[in-house]
Amino acid sequence: MLKMMTFFQGLSGHQPVPGTLDFPRSPQKLPSTSEAESEASMSEASSEDLVPPLEAGAAPYREEEEAAKKKKEKKKSKGLANVFCVFTKGKKKKGQPSSAEPEDAAGSRQGLDGPPSTVEELKAALERGQLEAARPLLALERELAAAAAAGGESEQELVRRQSKVEALYELLRDQVLGVLRRPLEAAPERLRQALAVVAEQEREDRQAAAAGPGTSGLAATRPRRWLQLWRRGVAEAAEERMGQRPAAGADVPESVFLHLGRTMKEDLEAVVERLKPLFPAEFGVVAAYAESYHQHFAAHLAAMAQFELCERDTYMLLVWVQNLYPNDIINSPKLVGELQGMGLGSLLPPRQIRLLEATFLSNEAANVRELMDRALELEAQRWAEDVPPQRLDGYCHSELAIDIIQIISQAQAKAESITLDLGSQIKQVLLVELPAFLRSYQRAFNEFLERGKQLRNYRANVIANINNCLSFRMSMEQNWQVPQDTLSLLLGPLGELKSHGFDTLLQNLHEDLKPLFKRFTHTRWAAPVETLENIIATVDTRLPEFSELQGCFREELMEALHLHLVKEYIIQLSKRRLVLKTAEQQQQLAGHILASADTIQHFCTQHGSPATWLQPALPTLAEIIRLQDPSAIKIEVATYATCYPDFSKGHLSAILAIKGNLSNSEVKSIRSILDVSTGAQEPSRPLFSLIKPRAAVSWVQQCWNGRQNWKRKKEKMNSHLAGACGVLW
């Protein structure tokens, strides 16, 4: 980062060069005559040396009155702010003379439309800034070429005359390019004159190129390439303008980027609005300025990219290269029609952009991971310190889910602020980071469940974390367009967290219900109605404890409680302690089971249980117990197995053990019906897989167990008697 700061300090310290931003001088020099000699020879020359005869076809020019020459004062440069005065100045008032036009040129002039001008007159006119002298000067150049081709003059005389013509061209060039150097300060008419001169010189260059090299003794002075010189001056102007120090924050990359972008946009808008209507199409004025500014911007960013960038600098560089530059500058409303077809390209090469994007994704993944871990650490600290959760709309509330969702959303939005494609790429990164965080969250929550049981706000914090699952789930379903299997994988840790939370909340209630369910078998189902009423009453008194759960989770918890009631009821039926040998007894038990099933279903549904899939669990078992025909029992068993694929032969045997009037062969035949369903799929909702089937005990085994129990009781009795006798003695 220190290197980057030094880089920006060096860049922003670049000041405009004092003086007017000069264009390069013409490269054509006559080796035999210096500029001083040209001036001397020009002052010594007579008017007949350079003025062509009238019959040569030169246009007559009127002489202007000779104006007194004023000494030229050198002015300090104000940088390209003068070039683009539209940003600091208003338009020139009507009637106000242009600053680029000498004062004496606005007064009386010697006419150039009269007889052909002398060298001194042309020199004086050019020094006064009269661009009308360009046409007579071109006539002199053509006359000189004709004289050289005719061969009537000596080579020394031709060289002397050519040196004077070239000296005049240097004056004209400086005047013309000086006007074009500050085009917005020049009067429109004067700017058009300068542009016309350049256009005329370009045409003369093309004609000279088409004619080929001459055979005269004159040095080649064409092509002069004034249009190329103008473009070079535009590039220098762009470099000076873009290299100025920002008004504030010169050492901050954001400020430098903003200065570069704003300068380029505002300057190009001025070119489009004020210069394009005046410049001939062949100049390509918008393209010339746009390419120059683009090249400087690109060079600056390429130099910056060579440094070891911090995270913020990497992001800012990508934002400008991929978003702000193409969208806010190239495609801005005032420039899009001019720049879109120029093919300026990107500010950085594609390979370098890919490297920066990979660095950005890596940085963001690390940031997201760190922020999420920190949020979880703070949340776990609040649990351990027994801080009560917030209450929001009557529900226990935790900020953890909101914090995590915000972290994820900000990373997503940050990538999309560069490009939508990068937003898609970071989504794949986040699809790795988020499940890893949720597993960490699940582990931290499970640890809290084990260690925090004695805390006052234990249950409230458990409820708050269960409610968190809703925020996570809604955010993923709404904002993450992923396949269902991927979504299920993401939600897996949340499902485990919620399930463990339900188990914790229901644990005390399950303990209270356990002795009540045992009354079914202890009383040999003598009073099943009263027993079930006690169970339902106990559950009903405990339901307010779950009121601070979100509505959807109260339904899920009620479904879990519904499942527990049905499961425990089936367990009591399957304990093989009740054997009914008559059809009347079996029908009576079946009636009790149907009534219990209706009571459980009505109570649980009334309190929000959506578990309609549990409705046939008890009634079908009652029907199996009631039926006496083995074939009818088979049909019921087959139907039951389709509803509950985890219903096994062991479970069936435990139910059939109640029917004491079935023979072993009939039991075996009924059990065989489940062989047809051995390839059934695993149940989506487990019921019988939660019930361990009680193994059947044979008559011999029962006798052996009874004999062993009798022996243990006898030994215990003898031990007590021996102890008592010892006390008596």
Side-chain angles (χ1 to χ4, degrees):
M1 188 61 187
L2 182 59
K3 293 181 180 179
M4 282 298 302
M5 297 294 287
T6 306
F7 170 73
F8 281 113
Q9 289 169 357
L11 174 79
S12 59
H14 174 71
Q15 297 293 331
V17 180
T20 304
L21 183 62
D22 292 329
F23 287 82
R25 310 284 290 183
S26 175
Q28 285 81 11
K29 289 285 184 178
L30 297 178
S32 61
T33 308
S34 64
E35 291 184 6
E37 293 172 342
S38 299
E39 287 290 332
S41 60
M42 183 181 297
S43 62
E44 295 171 358
S46 64
S47 60
E48 292 81 3
D49 291 335
L50 293 177
V51 178
L54 291 177
E55 58 269 25
Y61 291 90
R62 290 177 303 166
E63 292 188 0
E64 287 188 346
E65 295 181 359
E66 192 72 16
K69 296 183 180 179
K70 295 184 178 181
K71 295 184 179 180
K72 297 181 180 180
E73 297 179 357
K74 295 184 178 180
K75 300 179 181 180
K76 295 184 178 180
S77 172
K78 298 180 182 179
L80 279 187
N82 293 328
V83 180
F84 294 100
C85 60
V86 68
F87 310 122
T88 57
K89 302 178 183 178
K91 292 186 178 180
K92 182 164 57 65
K93 294 181 180 179
K94 185 175 182 181
Q96 179 181 355
S98 171
S99 61
E101 184 176 2
E103 294 180 3
D104 54 355
S108 61
R109 303 180 180 183
Q110 291 184 349
L112 295 177
D113 297 333
S117 303
T118 65
V119 171
E120 290 80 4
E121 290 171 344
L122 289 176
K123 181 174 181 291
L126 290 174
E127 288 176 344
R128 289 194 301 270
Q130 292 179 239
L131 302 183
E132 297 89 342
R135 187 64 61 86
L137 179 57
L138 181 59
L140 289 180
E141 181 185 9
R142 290 173 177 172
E143 174 62 22
L144 178 62
E153 298 184 18
S154 66
E155 182 177 351
Q156 183 177 2
E157 179 65 17
L158 291 174
V159 169
R160 185 177 66 83
R161 292 177 62 182
Q162 185 181 34
S163 67
K164 295 176 181 179
V165 170
E166 291 307 308
L168 291 175
Y169 262 118
E170 287 190 6
L171 288 176
L172 177 62
R173 182 194 63 192
D174 291 344
Q175 287 290 339
V176 169
L177 297 184
V179 172
L180 298 182
R181 192 174 298 124
R182 293 191 177 93
L184 296 179
E185 290 185 355
E189 185 57 34
R190 184 168 177 79
L191 180 59
R192 289 191 182 95
Q193 286 181 337
L195 293 172
V197 171
V198 174
E200 188 174 43
Q201 291 298 315
E202 286 296 305
R203 287 193 296 272
E204 199 70 17
D205 283 350
R206 290 193 293 270
Q207 291 176 5
T215 58
S216 65
L218 296 176
T221 58
R222 296 275 178 189
R224 299 188 185 278
R225 298 188 176 91
W226 284 13
L227 186 61
Q228 182 177 337
L229 293 178
W230 167 75
R231 290 193 178 114
R232 188 182 305 169
V234 169
E236 293 173 355
E239 181 179 1
E240 181 180 349
R241 182 87 169 123
M242 298 280 275
Q244 291 177 354
R245 181 189 296 271
D251 298 335
V252 181
E254 291 93 324
S255 299
V256 175
F257 288 149
L258 185 60
H259 163 72
L260 293 173
R262 179 178 295 168
T263 300
M264 179 175 180
K265 182 178 180 181
E266 292 178 351
D267 289 5
L268 291 184
E269 287 177 352
V271 170
V272 171
E273 293 175 356
R274 300 185 60 185
L275 295 187
K276 184 184 176 185
L278 301 176
F279 274 67
E282 63 185 285
F283 278 68
V285 61
V286 178
Y289 278 95
E291 290 169 0
S292 298
Y293 277 76
H294 173 83
Q295 290 170 4
H296 182 82
F297 208 153
H300 180 82
L301 266 61
M304 178 183 175
Q306 301 303 317
F307 291 90
E308 184 177 350
L309 304 175
C310 67
E311 295 176 10
R312 182 164 183 81
D313 292 345
T314 300
Y315 168 69
M316 289 303 301
L317 194 60
L318 284 172
V319 165
W320 274 96
V321 171
Q322 297 286 74
N323 183 358
L324 298 180
Y325 183 77
N327 296 325
D328 290 4
I329 297 179
I330 302 301
N331 290 322
S332 65
K334 294 182 180 180
L335 300 178
V336 61
E338 302 291 338
L339 304 184
Q340 201 169 39
M342 289 185 185
L344 294 178
S346 176
L347 291 173
L348 289 176
R351 181 178 178 275
Q352 198 162 26
I353 292 175
R354 288 194 297 270
L355 291 175
L356 289 171
E357 288 179 342
T359 302
F360 169 79
L361 292 175
S362 177
N363 292 340
E364 284 305 301
N367 287 338
V368 166
R369 193 182 310 121
E370 181 180 355
L371 291 172
M372 292 194 300
D373 290 345
R374 179 58 179 162
L376 179 58
E377 181 182 347
L378 293 175
E379 184 70 12
Q381 184 177 348
R382 284 191 286 268
W383 302 338
E385 294 174 355
D386 201 22
V387 177
Q390 302 177 30
R391 262 69 177 184
L392 185 64
D393 297 331
Y395 305 122
C396 291
H397 173 73
S398 168
E399 293 290 324
L400 178 63
I402 296 176
D403 292 341
I404 299 304
I405 292 170
Q406 187 174 11
I407 292 169
I408 295 293
S409 300
Q410 287 176 349
Q412 181 80 27
K414 190 174 181 181
E416 289 177 350
S417 70
I418 299 174
T419 62
L420 293 179
D421 179 66
L422 196 60
S424 300
Q425 293 183 46
I426 202 171
K427 180 177 289 187
Q428 302 305 316
V429 175
L430 297 176
L431 283 174
V432 175
E433 297 298 332
L434 184 56
F437 164 77
L438 293 178
R439 288 191 291 270
S440 299
Y441 179 29
Q442 179 190 349
R443 288 192 295 270
F445 182 67
N446 289 342
E447 185 177 346
F448 167 68
L449 293 180
E450 292 296 325
R451 298 184 178 182
K453 294 180 180 179
Q454 305 305 319
L455 298 175
R456 167 188 275 182
N457 296 296
Y458 176 71
R459 291 178 64 85
N461 277 316
V462 171
I463 291 175
N465 281 279
I466 293 175
N467 288 339
N468 265 343
C469 297
L470 178 62
S471 300
F472 278 120
R473 185 174 67 193
M474 291 178 61
S475 175
M476 292 180 191
E477 290 176 348
Q478 294 174 3
N479 302 325
W480 296 69
Q481 303 298 325
V482 295
Q484 188 60 39
D485 55 345
T486 304
L487 184 61
S488 300
L489 182 63
L490 286 172
L491 297 175
L494 295 177
E496 292 292 330
L497 184 149
K498 179 186 63 178
S499 178
H500 293 168
F502 284 168
D503 291 343
T504 299
L505 295 177
L506 294 172
Q507 186 175 4
N508 292 338
L509 178 57
H510 290 172
E511 293 295 329
D512 293 343
L513 294 178
K514 186 178 295 184
L516 296 178
F517 273 106
K518 287 184 177 180
R519 291 182 186 177
F520 285 116
T521 53
H522 289 169
T523 61
R524 300 183 63 83
W525 297 83
V529 177
E530 292 81 359
T531 301
L532 185 61
E533 287 177 352
N534 291 334
I535 292 173
I536 296 299
T538 301
V539 173
D540 192 38
T541 58
R542 302 292 292 274
L543 288 181
E545 298 178 6
F546 314 119
S547 62
E548 292 182 315
L549 279 169
Q550 291 281 356
C552 61
F553 293 131
R554 281 203 308 273
E555 292 181 359
E556 290 188 44
L557 182 130
M558 200 62 212
E559 181 177 9
L561 187 55
H562 190 174
L563 173 61
H564 180 76
L565 295 178
V566 172
K567 180 193 71 173
E568 290 298 321
Y569 198 96
I570 294 174
I571 288 174
Q572 299 305 316
L573 281 176
S574 304
K575 285 192 173 180
R576 300 177 181 267
R577 294 184 180 179
L578 180 65
V579 179
L580 304 176
K581 294 187 177 182
T582 66
E584 292 78 8
Q585 292 174 327
Q586 295 171 17
Q587 290 174 0
Q588 184 180 7
L589 177 61
H592 289 314
I593 296 173
L594 284 174
S596 299
D598 184 65
T599 300
I600 293 173
Q601 183 70 25
H602 176 74
F603 174 79
C604 293
T605 303
Q606 184 181 15
H607 288 86
S609 171
T612 56
W613 63 280
L614 286 172
Q615 186 171 357
L618 293 178
T620 305
L621 291 180
E623 188 66 9
I624 292 173
I625 293 173
R626 185 187 68 81
L627 292 172
Q628 302 300 312
D629 181 16
S631 298
I633 295 175
K634 284 183 179 181
I635 295 174
E636 288 297 326
V637 170
T639 304
Y640 199 61
T642 58
C643 295
Y644 305 101
D646 54 349
F647 183 61
S648 66
K649 289 183 178 181
H651 299 113
L652 176 59
S653 298
I655 298 300
L656 294 179
I658 299 174
K659 301 173 69 66
N661 55 354
L662 289 177
S663 65
N664 290 337
S665 61
E666 289 174 331
V667 171
K668 186 176 181 180
S669 176
I670 294 171
R671 280 166 47 92
S672 66
I673 195 66
L674 294 179
D675 293 337
V676 179
S677 304
T678 53
Q681 298 179 354
E682 289 295 322
S684 58
R685 298 183 179 93
L687 172 59
F688 285 93
S689 57
L690 304 175
I691 302 171
K692 185 178 180 180
R694 198 175 184 89
V697 182
S698 65
W699 180 83
V700 175
Q701 185 66 37
Q702 291 179 8
C703 293
W704 172 258
N705 291 342
R707 182 178 178 84
Q708 293 299 114
N709 290 337
W710 180 81
K711 284 184 177 181
R712 284 193 293 271
K713 289 180 180 180
K714 183 177 180 180
E715 291 174 356
K716 187 175 182 180
M717 185 179 297
N718 290 338
S719 175
H720 283 296
L721 290 175
C725 291
V727 171
L728 291 176
W729 284 101

